[in-house]
Amino acid sequence: DDYSLVSDLHWSAFTGEALELVNTVIDPSSRANVLQIVEATVRADQYNLKKIGETRLKDYELPLYNWEEKLILNEGEEETALLKIDVIIDPVTELGQRIGGIINILHTLPNTFIRIAFKPSLDLTEIPIKRFYRIVFPTQLDFDENGDIKESIAVFDNIPKDLLLTMSVLVPQSWVVAPVHSPHDLDNLKLSKISGQVEAEYQLQHLLVQGHAVDSHNAPPRGTQFILTSLTQNEDLSAVPDTITMANLGYLQLKANPGVWWLRLRPGTSTSVYEFESVGGKKVINGAALVVLDSFKGVTLFPVVRNKPGMEGVDVLNVDDSKNKEGVRANINSFDSAWKFVSSMFPKPKNGSDLVPTKKQAEINIFSVASGHLYERFLGIMMLSVIRQTKSTVKFWLIENFLSPSFKEFLPHFAAVYDFDYELITYKWPHWLRAQTEKQRTIWGYKILFLDVLFPLSLEKVIFVDADQVVRVDMKELVDLDLNGAVYGYTPFCDSRKEMDGFRFWMSGYWKTHLQNRAYHI
């Protein structure tokens, strides 16, 4: 009642009169602008950003006195502007392209003054920009003649037709986006060979739940496994998103859709060694932290785990070795510790899924990557050659990031005719890892850097086969090959053809010294 009384008093004394004045004096098309000015003025006064009759001192001054007039561009009315923005930009850089798009958006705001100072590099031997760029950021809703909201699109005009181009989108770090409809080869576009327009539709498929985990000693708990489950009690844990913690910055990444989730340690070795100490400011209930994904910004978490009693100093990647080195810190005086001590003397099952129920895996799991329609044709031939050489069940794991929409539409029909299983996998390039500008180098990164986080944790062994290879033997032989505990197995490069020695860069210089007479593997 007291709150309602204060609200009514405030309305009758101030708000009601102001609103009546706005409705009677100001043109309806300008009301939003007036309300924005009032709000900006009130907030500036609340936060002491600007006192009446005084100009707020800036933390910097734009050094314009030694620059030529032609390098300065002013947008808006400086005298009446409530928001003043100074920008120093190198126009012939990729960052300059992005800032230019942002400036176009800010320019549409009312009562805004923008001063742009161009400062290009003067020692360039070639233009560093290798792309055409547009920003899609609607500042208001646009409607068509039927009253429907117009879709936001980016349009490129007057592009040279003889260039070989690749189409891609730059999205916020927390977005997982892929093309879903396009008849064109988006990785190899040559406009001179295409009649009409090139169109592509991209879809936001997932949002990321990212994080940086540490243990109680502030070190990354490398190898610790996390899962993201829904609030359903009887959920199939073999189908939930899972990930493994990297040694680099304790980074973890999970894909999810908007909703409410539980972040848990994956049942098995991780829950045997660790327990949650905290997850940022989120409350941990029965070994799980509540995660609310309600924003397009995604969620960033900072889990802190601690070793369970009796597991101090144990390495989650090699529990048995850690116990042998550190000793089992068990207190035999308690029944619980004694039971842990006894149970640790018996070997654990070698099932990598530990306590998580898993679906039956295919006998042969093949991993490959292809980009462009030509290599997708090669990929189809390779997949068919694998199937025809074996009687075992086969599943293909393909990186979705680089597959064209037409190939993804073809895959279900291909799999139905030749009776194989497949799964599209993806991983967002981490924000802390330097991004590659060349697509081929990005593909190499996925083939090497992210092997331990690309696949479900229940997958025990996968074989990489290049898309342009033809398999002539039963791949079950490689599946059954004993790697003697090694995580990776690479084939050594051949050196039988001496006429190719000039191309074998590892036979001289740095690589020869680094390898120390060992074989070069790829």
Side-chain angles (χ1 to χ4, degrees):
D1 294 337
D2 292 340
Y3 179 81
S4 299
L5 181 62
V6 172
S7 177
D8 294 339
L9 178 62
H10 186 81
W11 175 270
S12 60
F14 307 104
T15 311
E17 294 184 6
L19 184 61
E20 184 179 355
L21 181 64
V22 168
N23 289 331
T24 56
V25 176
I26 302 174
D27 183 71
S29 61
S30 305
R31 289 174 188 171
N33 189 17
V34 172
L35 292 176
Q36 182 186 32
I37 296 173
V38 172
E39 181 183 11
T41 305
V42 171
R43 289 189 179 275
D45 184 61
Q46 286 178 341
Y47 295 103
N48 294 322
L49 297 179
K50 185 176 181 181
K51 295 182 179 179
I52 299 175
E54 298 181 8
T55 301
R56 181 169 64 96
L57 295 178
K58 294 186 292 184
D59 295 330
Y60 68 93
E61 289 293 339
L62 196 62
L64 302 178
Y65 55 88
N66 59 352
W67 290 6
E68 298 182 20
E69 288 287 338
K70 61 184 179 181
L71 295 178
I72 306 299
L73 180 63
N74 296 325
E75 293 289 340
E77 297 294 334
E78 183 175 8
E79 293 77 11
T80 60
L82 292 174
L83 178 63
K84 297 181 181 180
I85 303 173
D86 288 333
V87 181
I88 305 175
I89 185 174
D90 185 348
V92 288
T93 61
E94 292 187 355
L95 180 60
Q97 284 182 314
R98 301 189 70 172
I99 292 177
I102 296 173
I103 291 174
N104 281 336
I105 296 170
L106 295 175
H107 179 57
T108 63
L109 298 177
N111 303 297
T112 301
F113 173 76
I114 305 176
R115 180 167 50 181
I116 308 169
F118 295 100
K119 188 170 176 58
S121 301
L122 302 179
D123 55 351
L124 295 177
T125 56
E126 61 176 348
I127 297 179
I129 298 178
K130 306 294 183 183
R131 68 180 188 183
F132 300 94
Y133 176 85
R134 296 288 186 275
I135 189 170
V136 179
F137 195 109
T139 58
Q140 62 182 13
L141 294 178
D142 290 327
F143 301 90
D144 58 19
E145 59 275 4
N146 298 323
D148 298 326
I149 298 176
K150 290 184 178 180
E151 295 182 349
S152 300
I153 61 174
V155 179
F156 295 82
D157 294 321
N158 302 319
I159 294 180
K161 294 186 176 182
D162 292 328
L163 294 178
L164 186 62
L165 304 170
T166 295
M167 180 181 290
S168 61
V169 292
L170 298 176
V171 297
Q173 172 61 29
S174 59
W175 291 15
V176 178
V177 174
V180 291
H181 296 296
S182 181
H184 307 288
D185 185 354
L186 301 179
D187 286 327
N188 299 279
L189 291 171
K190 204 165 186 178
L191 300 182
S192 60
K193 297 183 178 180
I194 299 175
S195 58
Q197 296 180 340
V198 176
E199 296 182 356
E201 180 182 342
Y202 289 82
Q203 183 182 72
L204 174 59
Q205 298 180 324
H206 300 286
L207 296 172
L208 291 187
V209 176
Q210 305 175 87
H212 298 275
V214 296
D215 60 19
S216 53
H217 302 290
N218 206 32
R222 63 191 188 99
T224 303
Q225 300 173 0
F226 292 90
I227 59 175
L228 203 62
T229 65
S230 67
L231 299 183
T232 305
Q233 295 294 326
N234 300 319
E235 187 171 16
D236 180 9
L237 294 184
S238 64
V240 301
D242 56 23
T243 191
I244 190 169
T245 305
M246 291 186 178
N248 299 77
L249 305 176
Y251 181 72
L252 58 98
Q253 180 184 120
L254 295 155
K255 295 182 291 295
N257 290 326
V260 181
W261 304 86
W262 289 113
L263 178 72
R264 306 175 186 269
L265 289 168
R266 188 171 185 261
T269 306
S270 296
T271 51
S272 298
V273 176
Y274 287 119
E275 62 184 2
F276 276 126
E277 182 175 309
S278 65
V279 182
K282 303 181 183 301
K283 188 175 182 180
V284 178
I285 305 173
N286 296 326
L290 193 65
V291 178
V292 180
L293 186 54
D294 59 353
S295 168
F296 285 112
K297 296 180 181 179
V299 175
T300 301
L301 305 172
F302 298 93
V304 180
V305 296
R306 61 187 172 207
N307 292 80
K308 287 186 172 180
M311 304 299 286
E312 294 85 356
V314 175
D315 186 354
V316 74
L317 291 179
N318 205 334
V319 175
D320 295 329
D321 286 353
S322 297
K323 289 181 178 179
N324 292 334
K325 292 177 182 179
E326 301 290 337
V328 180
R329 304 180 183 181
N331 183 1
I332 306 300
N333 293 328
S334 69
F335 175 80
D336 182 62
S337 298
W339 173 250
K340 288 182 180 178
F341 178 80
V342 173
S343 63
S344 67
M345 305 299 294
F346 297 91
K348 292 184 177 181
K350 295 183 178 180
N351 185 1
S353 60
D354 291 320
L355 301 180
V356 177
T358 58
K359 297 178 181 179
K360 185 178 179 181
Q361 297 179 358
E363 297 171 281
I364 301 175
N365 290 275
I366 303 296
F367 162 51
S368 192
V369 57
S371 177
H373 286 182
L374 176 61
Y375 269 80
E376 287 172 349
R377 295 190 191 100
F378 292 155
L379 177 62
I381 295 172
M382 182 274 288
M383 296 167 69
L384 193 57
S385 69
V386 171
I387 296 166
R388 288 183 170 176
Q389 296 295 337
T390 186
K391 295 181 180 179
S392 303
T393 56
V394 181
K395 182 172 183 176
F396 294 95
W397 302 81
L398 308 174
I399 299 183
E400 185 178 9
N401 306 39
F402 310 109
L403 293 177
S404 69
S406 57
F407 187 78
K408 286 187 283 188
E409 292 174 0
F410 165 72
L411 265 177
H413 308 286
F414 190 28
V417 171
Y418 291 101
D419 192 26
F420 66 84
D421 196 8
Y422 72 93
E423 187 167 332
L424 302 181
I425 52 179
T426 185
Y427 195 78
K428 185 81 175 200
W429 194 280
H431 62 88
W432 47 266
L433 185 62
R434 181 179 178 182
Q436 300 297 313
T437 56
E438 296 181 16
K439 192 158 192 174
Q440 189 59 46
R441 295 180 67 87
T442 303
I443 294 175
W444 290 342
Y446 276 88
K447 288 163 58 175
I448 299 173
L449 298 179
F450 306 136
L451 289 180
D452 54 345
V453 290
L454 267 175
F455 307 98
L457 296 175
S458 59
L459 185 63
E460 296 180 359
K461 182 180 285 188
V462 65
I463 301 171
F464 176 79
V465 182
D466 266 322
D468 56 358
Q469 299 294 305
V470 175
V471 176
R472 303 179 65 181
V473 296
D474 190 345
M475 295 298 286
K476 191 69 165 58
E477 296 181 26
L478 279 180
V479 174
D480 297 335
L481 180 66
D482 188 1
L483 296 180
N484 298 315
V487 179
Y488 299 132
Y490 290 89
T491 55
F493 238 89
C494 304
D495 56 3
S496 58
R497 296 176 59 189
K498 299 302 178 184
E499 64 270 21
M500 301 299 292
D501 282 352
F503 298 96
R504 299 187 177 102
F505 58 85
W506 60 92
M507 299 183 69
S508 61
Y510 166 80
W511 280 104
K512 183 178 181 180
T513 304
H514 178 72
L515 291 171
Q516 298 180 358
N517 296 323
R518 292 191 291 265
Y520 177 76
H521 292 69
I522 189 168

